[in-house]
Amino acid sequence: MEERKSLEEKLSFAQGAFILTIANLISRLLGFIFRIVLSNKIGPEGMGIFQLVMPVYMTALSVTTGSISVTVSRLVAQSLSRGDRRYTYRIVSLSLMLITSISAIISGILIFFSDYISSSILNEERTMLPIIIFSPVLFIISSSAVIRGYFEGIQNIKPSAIANIIEEVVRIISVLFLIDAVMPMGIEYAVSAAIFSSVLGEVCVFLFMAYKYKERQHKYKASTSGPHINNHKLMLNIVGTTIPLSLNRFVNTFLQSIEAVIIPQRLMANLSKEESLSIFGELTGMALPIVMLPSIVVNALSVTLVPAVAEAHEKNDMATLEHRVKESVEYTLIISFITSTTLLSLPNEIAITLYHNTEVGIFLRMFSLVVPLIYTSQIMNSALNGMGKHTIAFINNLFASFMRTLCTYILVANSKFMINGYFIGYYLGFLLLFILDYICIRRFIGIFPGVVFFAKTFIASIVFYLCLKIFYCLNPIPNSLISLVITLLLSLIIYLLIMVHTGVLRTGNLIGNLPFLRRV
C-alpha cells in the first residue's frame, strides 16, 4: 500500500518534462549570462582556451559517470514497476560504490598527466591549471549523477530541477567575484576561475541531492524483510546496462573532443594560433551555446522519456510506449523549427546584441538548418535507450561521430574550406544519425508524425520567419536586447496561435500538462 502511495506521487510524463524544462530554462539562461560575461571579459581567444579544456572535462566525465544516471533511472523504474523499494535503494548504493572507485582512478591519471595533456595533446600550455582544478571533484559529479538517476527513475523531477538552478546560481556568483580579481594575472587564470566556479556549483549540487535522497530514505523506509538481494548479480546488471550506454557516450564524447582539439590545430595550417583560437572560441563558445539553448526542452523530454519508455516496455504496453515517443518527437520538431527559423531570420542581430561580434552571426546562420536533425536525433536516441536498444544507439552515434570527425580533419586544413569544412562534417554527421535512428525507431514503433503534421508546422514556420523580420524592423529600439526579446515573444505568440488553430497543438492537452493551471 505504501509503495502504491509512492507511485501515485510521481509526476506525469508531460508534467515532469514541463517542470524540468522550466528549471532548465532558468539554469540555462543563467549559464548563458555566464558565457556572455565571460566572453566579453576574456575575448574570443580566452573562450577558445576555455573550450579546449571542456573536451578533457567531458571525456573524463564520460568515463567516470558514463551513463550511470540513465542506468539507475531505468533500473529503478523497472524495480518500482515490480513494487520492490528495497531493490531501488540497493541499486543506488552499489552504483555509488562503482563510480567512486572509477572516479578516483581517473582523477589521479588526469592530475599526473596534466602537463602532457596540455602541452602535447591540446597544444596549449595554458590549459594545465584548469585541468588540475576540476580533476579532484569528478567523484562528486558522478555521485550526483547517480542520485539524479534515482529521482528520474521514480519520475520525481523536482530535485534535479532545483539542483540545476543551484548549480548555475553558485557558478554565476562565484565567477563574478573571481574573474575581475584574477584577470590581471592573465587569461590562463581567468579560465581557471571559470572552471573553479563550475566546481563550486557541482559541490553544492551534490550536497543538495544527497540531502534530498537521505530525506526520502527516511520518509519511505524499505522493508527489512523480503527475498535475498544478490549484490554480485545486481552489480553485474548495473555494469552490463551501463557499459553499452557508457561506450556510446564515451565514444561520442571522445570523438567530439578530438574534433574540438583538431579544429584550432587544423586551422593553424592557414591561420595564426591566435586567429585559430579566436575562430574556435566564436564557434564553440559563442555560437553553439545559442544554437543549443532551446534544447533545454529536448533535454527535459529525453530525461523523462527514458524511464517512461522503460516502464512501458517492461509492462509490454506498446500503446503507451508509442504515444510517449510520438508525443516527444512532435514537441521536439516544433522546438527545432522555431530555433531554425529564428537563427535563419535574425542571426546577425542576435550576435551583435549579445556579443558585439558579427562573425558569430555568420556561424549562427550556418548552424540554422541542422537544428532539426540534432534535436530529433537526441530524442530518438533516448527512446532507443529506454527500450533497452543501447547497442543500436551506440553504433548509430559511432558512425555519425566518425563522419563528423573525419570531415573536420580532412577539410578544415584545406584552404578552400577551412571552418566551412567543419560545417560540412557537422551536417553530414547529423543527417546520417537522423537516418539511422529513424530506421531503427520505425522497426520497433509504427506510429510517427505524418505528412500533415510536417506541412502545418512548416507553414507556421514561414509565418514565424516573416513576423520576426517585420517586427524587428518596426521596433523603435534597434540592436538592443529589449528589441530582440519583444520581437521573439510577439512572433512566438503568433506561431503558437497558428499551431493551436491548425490542431497541431491542443490547448486542452497543454493546460493538462501544466500543474499550476490544473488547479485553476
Side-chain angles (χ1 to χ4, degrees):
M1 183 66 100
E2 182 186 1
E3 189 66 37
R4 183 178 299 172
K5 180 181 177 183
S6 166
L7 289 171
E8 288 173 353
E9 289 180 348
K10 71 184 180 183
L11 292 168
S12 73
F13 172 76
Q15 289 175 335
F18 171 76
I19 290 175
L20 193 59
T21 297
I22 295 300
N24 281 348
L25 177 61
I26 296 171
S27 63
R28 189 69 70 91
L29 287 175
L30 289 172
F32 197 56
I33 293 171
F34 163 79
R35 281 187 173 273
I36 293 172
V37 172
L38 188 64
S39 63
N40 287 330
K41 286 183 177 293
I42 66 177
E45 184 182 357
M47 289 301 295
I49 297 172
F50 181 82
Q51 291 301 125
L52 274 178
V53 175
M54 295 312 293
V56 181
Y57 176 70
M58 297 307 298
T59 302
L61 280 184
S62 71
V63 177
T64 58
T65 305
S67 293
I68 192 68
S69 61
V70 178
T71 298
V72 172
S73 172
R74 186 167 185 267
L75 293 178
V76 165
Q78 292 175 346
S79 177
L80 285 181
S81 70
R82 299 190 300 267
D84 192 347
R85 187 193 306 279
R86 193 163 60 100
Y87 200 75
T88 64
Y89 291 150
R90 191 64 60 85
I91 290 170
V92 174
S93 60
L94 290 179
S95 298
L96 286 172
M97 290 172 56
L98 175 66
I99 57 92
T100 300
S101 302
I102 296 173
S103 298
I105 296 171
I106 298 302
S107 295
I109 292 173
L110 280 176
I111 293 173
F112 186 80
F113 289 102
S114 59
D115 184 31
Y116 175 79
I117 293 171
S118 60
S119 59
S120 299
I121 298 178
L122 301 181
N123 198 26
E124 179 53 71
E125 293 79 4
R126 290 173 291 182
T127 58
M128 186 177 76
L129 183 57
I131 291 173
I132 294 173
I133 289 174
F134 75 70
S135 296
V137 295
L138 290 175
F139 81 95
I140 291 179
I141 303 171
S142 302
S143 300
S144 298
V146 171
I147 304 174
R148 282 178 187 267
Y150 167 78
F151 281 108
E152 289 160 7
I154 63 174
Q155 298 187 43
N156 181 359
I157 304 299
K158 289 181 180 179
S160 293
I162 296 171
N164 290 341
I165 298 174
I166 290 174
E167 179 183 359
E168 292 301 337
V169 168
V170 172
R171 196 173 171 220
I172 287 287
I173 293 174
S174 58
V175 82
L176 285 175
F177 278 103
L178 291 172
I179 194 73
D180 289 328
V182 301
M183 190 60 193
M185 301 169 66
I187 292 178
E188 174 187 1
Y189 293 93
V191 173
S192 300
I195 296 294
F196 183 71
S197 69
S198 298
V199 167
L200 289 179
E202 293 288 357
V203 170
C204 292
V205 165
F206 170 73
L207 294 175
F208 172 76
M209 294 300 291
Y211 168 76
K212 296 301 292 184
Y213 178 70
K214 288 295 182 183
E215 182 183 57
R216 184 171 181 85
Q217 269 190 316
H218 179 73
K219 185 177 180 180
Y220 299 108
K221 294 181 179 178
S223 174
T224 54
S225 61
H228 172 70
I229 298 176
N230 189 326
N231 288 337
H232 178 69
K233 184 178 179 180
L234 177 55
M235 179 64 83
L236 289 177
N237 191 13
I238 293 171
V239 173
T241 305
T242 304
I243 285 177
L245 290 171
S246 297
L247 278 174
N248 184 358
R249 181 179 176 184
F250 172 75
V251 172
N252 194 38
T253 304
F254 183 69
L255 288 175
Q256 287 178 353
S257 299
I258 294 176
E259 184 180 43
V261 171
I262 65 177
I263 289 173
Q265 293 186 5
R266 301 300 284 173
L267 283 172
M268 288 178 200
N270 299 287
L271 302 171
S272 68
K273 184 176 183 179
E274 290 72 21
E275 288 175 320
S276 300
L277 280 174
S278 295
I279 290 175
F280 178 63
E282 290 167 346
L283 178 71
T284 60
M286 299 180 183
L288 259 180
I290 296 175
V291 173
M292 301 307 295
L293 181 63
S295 69
I296 55 175
V297 181
V298 183
N299 293 337
L301 286 170
S302 297
V303 167
T304 52
L305 183 63
V306 172
V309 167
E311 185 175 351
H313 191 262
E314 180 76 11
K315 296 178 179 178
N316 200 27
D317 185 358
M318 292 304 297
T320 300
L321 192 153
E322 290 183 345
H323 172 71
R324 294 302 188 208
V325 174
K326 182 174 180 288
E327 182 183 51
S328 299
V329 171
E330 287 180 347
Y331 284 144
T332 300
L333 286 170
I334 291 170
I335 295 299
S336 64
F337 271 80
I338 291 173
T339 306
S340 288
T341 306
T342 302
L343 296 179
L344 200 60
S345 177
L346 303 173
N348 293 328
E349 292 81 355
I350 294 172
I352 293 171
T353 300
L354 298 179
Y355 298 117
H356 310 290
N357 188 319
T358 55
E359 291 296 322
V360 176
I362 296 173
F363 294 148
L364 291 178
R365 186 183 295 275
M366 296 174 74
F367 273 122
S368 61
L369 297 181
V370 78
V371 170
L373 300 178
I374 300 173
Y375 289 6
T376 312
S377 297
Q378 180 181 343
I379 206 72
M380 289 193 293
N381 238 250
S382 296
L384 289 172
N385 286 324
M387 289 186 288
K389 311 299 179 183
H390 314 302
T391 304
I392 293 175
F394 165 67
I395 293 173
N396 291 353
N397 273 297
L398 178 62
F399 282 132
S401 297
F402 182 76
M403 171 74 78
R404 290 202 312 270
T405 305
L406 183 64
C407 288
T408 299
Y409 182 82
I410 295 173
L411 298 178
V412 171
N414 190 315
S415 59
K416 295 180 180 180
F417 295 102
M418 292 202 291
I419 199 61
N420 292 327
Y422 166 80
F423 283 99
I424 292 173
Y426 206 79
Y427 272 79
L428 290 177
F430 276 105
L431 177 60
L432 178 62
L433 180 59
F434 175 84
I435 292 171
L436 293 174
D437 282 347
Y438 177 78
I439 292 172
C440 295
I441 286 288
R442 289 306 299 265
R443 284 175 56 194
F444 304 108
I445 300 174
I447 297 176
F448 217 72
V451 176
V452 174
F453 172 85
F454 281 101
K456 291 178 178 179
T457 307
F458 182 72
I459 292 171
S461 298
I462 293 175
V463 176
F464 182 55
Y465 177 90
L466 296 174
C467 289
L468 286 170
K469 287 289 189 182
I470 294 170
F471 288 148
Y472 193 84
C473 291
L474 294 177
N475 203 300
I477 314 173
N479 295 330
S480 70
L481 184 60
I482 296 175
S483 174
L484 193 60
V485 170
I486 292 174
T487 298
L488 285 171
L489 287 177
L490 291 176
S491 302
L492 189 59
I493 290 171
I494 293 175
Y495 176 85
L496 293 176
L497 287 175
I498 293 173
M499 298 293 278
V500 171
H501 181 71
T502 56
V504 177
L505 291 175
R506 294 176 177 84
T507 53
N509 290 347
L510 287 175
I511 292 173
N513 291 341
L514 308 185
F516 59 88
L517 290 180
R518 285 166 60 106
R519 302 191 188 99
V520 178

